[in-house]
Amino acid sequence: MKAVRAFAPATVANVSCGFDILGFAIDAMGDVVEVRERKEPGLQVVSIAGDGGRLPLEAEKNTCAVAIQAMLDELGKEVGMEIYLEKGLPLGSGMGSSAASAVAALVAANRLLGEPFEKKQLLPFAMAAEKVACGAGHADNVAPSLLGGFVLIRDYHPLDVIKLPVPEGLHCTLLHPHFELKTSDSRSVLRDHVSLKHSTIQSGNVAGLIAGLFQGDFELIGRSLRDVIAEPYRATLIPGFYEVKEAVKTAGALGMGISGSGPTLFALSKGEGNVQSIIDAAQQVYDSIGLGVDAYHSAINTQGAFVLE
Amino acid sequence: MKAVRAFAPATVANVSCGFDILGFAIDAMGDVVEVRERKEPGLQVVSIAGDGGRLPLEAEKNTCAVAIQAMLDELGKEVGMEIYLEKGLPLGSGMGSSAASAVAALVAANRLLGEPFEKKQLLPFAMAAEKVACGAGHADNVAPSLLGGFVLIRDYHPLDVIKLPVPEGLHCTLLHPHFELKTSDSRSVLRDHVSLKHSTIQSGNVAGLIAGLFQGDFELIGRSLRDVIAEPYRATLIPGFYEVKEAVKTAGALGMGISGSGPTLFALSKGEGNVQSIIDAAQQVYDSIGLGVDAYHSAINTQGAFVLE
């Protein structure tokens, strides 16, 4: 029987001022899904490795199966598949864990079926899976995991996804402190309304960030990494947030923000030269408040998910 | 005695989703200022043509003189100058009339003094004049009038002005209906707070517009010309707004918005091919509501203000 394995990268959604509209993909980490043809119709999640037994095997709750089912529904096909998920991403970390699983599953299943869909066309199926995993069909993790690079979700009705350029040498450090932050908690601290002034400031910074990416202007990217809408509230849920921010910027980071809804933090830098200093500086803050942290660093992934040949 | 004449173009501030952060300059129209050396120190506004006698000749109230005075204060110089202003722009139209006067005066005076400042350095002096003319030192008219093209005002503290690319062939139609709208009225209808949802939609569209300008993607520019924060309120003060918008889009415009705080409307299009249809379509709506309108069209000015040799 045929089998296909695919990899989908971790992602940073929101990207500071890009709250709810931007995301980018990380080279270093991701999930792998193998999909195998089987005779009996229907989807079966056979195994999940690396999740500590926490993810559901039931097809209607599993993001891989939900995503593939949405694709099969669109095709009007009844196909039997076995799904093997290898988690490379920690759960509930804000690094797009559920998105990577769904995207890897879709890319593998699409290849198994002879690629009836172009890559970009898989997006709505991945969003259907995000709806089951997170309660909302956001695209700011699944789009960059699928397509790579920086991705703008300009609109949802209809879906308008724009791939942005990645300046040569842009590097990302991820700091994953050892505690869990529920997306629902991180969402609930946000305000329903924002001041016109803050909305305008946010627009200016988003515009600056987009211009910085196109121009390869690292200083402009750094100046634009300022979120006045979500970060001030979410930072209250993340111990040491402002201390870490100051420390990593002093150590050479262009800027820092919350990855997705946290608690993972991301820092961008020009090249890898400052990465160890950035990690050391953050480590020192976390040590001082008695919190463990895992640090990763990576170039921006520009390829997105791909089949492992 | 030495004399220098300079031209500064009309500008469209706000640019729909770019509320309070974006502006661009228009080739077709602008103000001309001649500055002449004189022996006695102090600034004298000698004449203003084309304003119907409405603009003040007193140096401390005249935008040209206020701008030049701010420049002289920075230089610490006492220089005598005569100022001759030729208005090419209608007052209170939303086309950056006061900004064009101030910018033309600065560019002329700067040349007269042997160019002690680079062009971009003149910006704060023009903003000082805007503060006198409009009550707020906004840069979204003066920056594009000075520098040309599309300009992003990312931040004011400190001032961060970024020049954006102009796609080849981008064309602008301006529709100036025959009634006056006070900036203060247009400001007062705005809400102090906006919903988080609308703030996010605005950010997405600003990001799309910036990306569209860099990519030369006219369709993306058109889709992104959507303002959910200022336009819904300001449109209530502008007769026929939505009818004109629908008519010009049907006639081939990429999108339409309010120029500055109105009542002038701007429509962008790809090339000049549709311009006459756009103007005719708008004219028909204005005829139907019994309102006169002046229509102008022009390429985007990419040069900004310049000395007339």
Side-chain angles (χ1 to χ4, degrees):
Chain A
M1 300 297 261
K2 281 197 293 181
V4 179
R5 277 161 66 83
F7 169 88
T11 45
V12 170
N14 290 333
V15 197
S16 181
C17 56
F19 173 70
D20 262 8
I21 61 166
L22 276 183
F24 66 84
I26 293 297
D27 249 350
M29 308 162 70
D31 285 357
V32 171
V33 173
E34 181 166 328
V35 176
R36 295 183 195 165
E37 221 175 7
R38 66 169 193 171
K39 281 192 185 145
E40 315 78 54
L43 303 178
Q44 189 195 353
V45 184
V46 177
S47 71
I48 304 176
D51 68 328
R54 292 173 58 197
L55 290 176
L57 287 163
E58 299 98 304
E60 64 276 8
K61 290 185 189 167
N62 180 284
T63 56
C64 298
V66 170
I68 295 175
Q69 190 59 55
M71 179 171 72
L72 295 175
D73 290 348
E74 177 70 21
L75 282 173
K77 273 197 180 174
E78 278 217 29
V79 183
M81 291 186 198
E82 290 176 350
I83 297 164
Y84 301 79
L85 168 58
E86 302 160 34
K87 290 297 300 175
L89 295 182
L91 310 184
S93 61
M95 291 190 264
S97 176
S98 62
S101 298
V103 167
L106 284 168
V107 168
N110 191 44
R111 171 67 66 89
L112 195 74
L113 295 169
E115 306 209 323
F117 295 103
E118 285 177 37
K119 221 176 178 190
K120 204 170 177 175
Q121 293 176 310
L122 299 174
L123 205 44
F125 314 135
M127 288 166 65
E130 283 289 75
K131 194 161 187 182
V132 169
C134 315
H138 282 297
D140 48 355
N141 286 112
V142 288
S145 185
L146 184 66
L147 304 172
F150 273 80
V151 177
L152 163 66
I153 323 295
R154 192 196 63 83
D155 201 358
Y156 281 91
H157 310 290
L159 189 63
D160 192 6
V161 169
I162 296 130
K163 206 172 161 180
L164 305 169
V166 179
E168 184 78 27
L170 189 64
H171 207 82
C172 180
T173 302
L174 288 167
L175 302 162
H176 177 213
H178 292 169
F179 76 102
E180 221 170 299
L181 181 56
K182 280 189 192 163
T183 302
S184 54
D185 289 342
S186 198
R187 226 341 111 178
S188 70
V189 292
L190 299 180
R191 300 297 187 265
D192 280 344
H193 284 74
V194 303
S195 70
L196 179 60
K197 189 181 165 189
H198 278 165
S199 177
T200 305
I201 290 173
Q202 194 89 344
S203 279
N205 284 313
V206 167
L209 178 54
I210 305 290
L213 291 171
F214 273 96
Q215 293 178 333
D217 183 336
F218 290 95
E219 295 303 317
L220 176 54
I221 291 169
R223 293 198 301 279
S224 302
L225 286 176
R226 183 176 166 221
D227 170 15
V228 295
I229 285 184
E231 187 177 289
Y233 302 108
R234 290 184 164 172
T236 63
L237 304 176
I238 300 175
F241 178 83
Y242 291 107
E243 293 84 346
V244 174
K245 191 175 192 174
E246 204 186 316
V248 301
K249 286 177 84 167
T250 304
L254 298 168
M256 193 196 85
I258 301 166
S259 178
S261 55
T264 296
L265 308 178
F266 76 95
L268 294 178
S269 55
K270 183 179 178 178
E272 296 184 54
N274 294 317
V275 167
Q276 197 52 53
S277 313
I278 290 168
I279 292 173
D280 290 346
Q283 182 78 56
Q284 219 164 38
V285 176
Y286 284 115
D287 283 351
S288 76
I289 57 175
L291 197 58
V293 62
D294 293 318
Y296 315 90
H297 71 97
S298 163
I300 310 300
N301 169 305
T302 55
Q303 181 187 10
F306 55 90
V307 170
L308 294 159
E309 307 285 358
Chain B
M1 299 298 259
K2 280 195 295 180
V4 179
R5 279 162 64 84
F7 170 87
T11 44
V12 170
N14 289 335
V15 197
S16 179
C17 57
F19 173 69
D20 261 7
I21 61 166
L22 275 183
F24 65 84
I26 293 297
D27 250 348
M29 309 163 72
D31 285 359
V32 171
V33 174
E34 180 167 328
V35 176
R36 296 184 196 163
E37 223 175 4
R38 66 168 192 170
K39 280 190 186 149
E40 314 77 55
L43 302 177
Q44 189 195 352
V45 184
V46 177
S47 70
I48 304 176
D51 69 327
R54 293 173 58 199
L55 289 177
L57 287 163
E58 299 98 305
E60 62 277 11
K61 289 183 189 167
N62 181 283
T63 57
C64 298
V66 171
I68 295 175
Q69 191 58 57
M71 180 171 72
L72 294 176
D73 290 348
E74 177 70 20
L75 281 174
K77 273 198 180 173
E78 279 215 32
V79 183
M81 291 188 200
E82 290 176 351
I83 297 165
Y84 301 79
L85 168 58
E86 302 160 33
K87 290 298 299 176
L89 296 182
L91 309 185
S93 61
M95 291 191 264
S97 176
S98 62
S101 299
V103 167
L106 284 168
V107 168
N110 190 44
R111 171 67 67 90
L112 196 73
L113 295 169
E115 306 212 320
F117 295 104
E118 286 177 36
K119 220 176 180 191
K120 204 170 176 176
Q121 292 177 310
L122 300 175
L123 205 44
F125 314 135
M127 288 167 65
E130 283 288 76
K131 195 161 186 182
V132 169
C134 315
H138 282 297
D140 48 356
N141 286 113
V142 287
S145 185
L146 185 66
L147 304 172
F150 273 79
V151 177
L152 163 67
I153 322 294
R154 192 195 64 81
D155 201 358
Y156 282 90
H157 309 290
L159 189 63
D160 192 6
V161 169
I162 295 130
K163 205 171 163 182
L164 305 169
V166 178
E168 184 79 26
L170 188 64
H171 207 81
C172 179
T173 302
L174 288 168
L175 303 162
H176 177 212
H178 293 169
F179 77 102
E180 221 170 299
L181 181 56
K182 281 190 192 159
T183 302
S184 55
D185 289 343
S186 199
R187 225 342 109 175
S188 70
V189 292
L190 298 180
R191 300 296 186 266
D192 282 343
H193 283 74
V194 302
S195 70
L196 179 60
K197 189 182 164 187
H198 279 164
S199 177
T200 305
I201 289 172
Q202 194 89 344
S203 278
N205 285 313
V206 167
L209 177 54
I210 306 290
L213 291 172
F214 273 97
Q215 294 178 334
D217 183 337
F218 290 95
E219 295 303 318
L220 175 56
I221 290 169
R223 293 198 302 278
S224 303
L225 286 176
R226 183 176 166 221
D227 169 15
V228 296
I229 285 184
E231 186 177 292
Y233 302 107
R234 291 184 163 173
T236 62
L237 305 176
I238 300 175
F241 179 83
Y242 291 108
E243 292 84 347
V244 174
K245 190 174 192 173
E246 204 187 316
V248 301
K249 286 177 83 168
T250 303
L254 298 168
M256 193 197 86
I258 301 166
S259 180
S261 55
T264 297
L265 308 179
F266 76 95
L268 294 178
S269 56
K270 183 179 178 179
E272 296 184 54
N274 294 316
V275 166
Q276 197 52 54
S277 313
I278 290 169
I279 292 173
D280 290 345
Q283 182 77 56
Q284 219 165 38
V285 176
Y286 284 116
D287 283 350
S288 75
I289 57 175
L291 197 59
V293 62
D294 293 319
Y296 314 90
H297 71 96
S298 164
I300 310 300
N301 169 304
T302 56
Q303 181 187 7
F306 56 89
V307 170
L308 294 159
E309 306 286 358

